Amino acid sequence: MAHEEATGKTVDELAERAWELAASIRTAIFATWSGQRQHLTPMSATVEPAVGALYFLTTVDAVKVAHIQSDPNVVVAFADESANKYVTFSGRANVSN
């Protein structure tokens, strides 16, 4: 997490706040890599901080599924512009049916 030293909060407190923001915003930009360029998709998230997971529903033939299968590294960004609140997550995605 960037700039935690400027907030006076611990990494755990910042992580808790990140999960709270994601849960309150819910709509995210989901970024995958095609092998040549980024692919960005707005998606509704189910946020599960207890297991450290974000869940998304999509169709099995969606392009993002092929991207995840070839490169599971993703970035998910949540933004509430009216409240000036933003949070991003990066990690590895997997597809389950």
Side-chain angles (χ1 to χ4, degrees), residues 2-85:
H3 309 294
E4 60 267 13
E5 66 281 353
T7 67
K9 295 186 181 204
T10 67
V11 172
D12 288 341
E13 290 170 324
L14 291 170
E16 182 178 338
R17 180 65 178 141
W19 287 109
E20 288 171 0
L21 285 171
S24 69
I25 298 169
R26 296 219 33 210
T27 300
I29 299 297
F30 189 87
T32 58
W33 180 251
S34 73
Q36 297 181 348
R37 64 180 182 88
Q38 288 182 321
H39 181 83
L40 306 172
T41 307
M43 299 188 74
S44 180
T46 298
V47 179
E48 294 288 345
V51 293
L54 301 169
Y55 296 101
F56 301 90
L57 293 176
T58 191
T59 60
V60 71
D61 59 347
V63 69
K64 68 184 107 355
V65 171
H67 292 171
I68 290 167
Q69 290 170 336
S70 66
D71 184 349
N73 296 298
V74 299
V75 174
V76 180
F78 295 86
D80 180 351
E81 292 180 35
S82 64
N84 201 30
K85 306 282 184 189

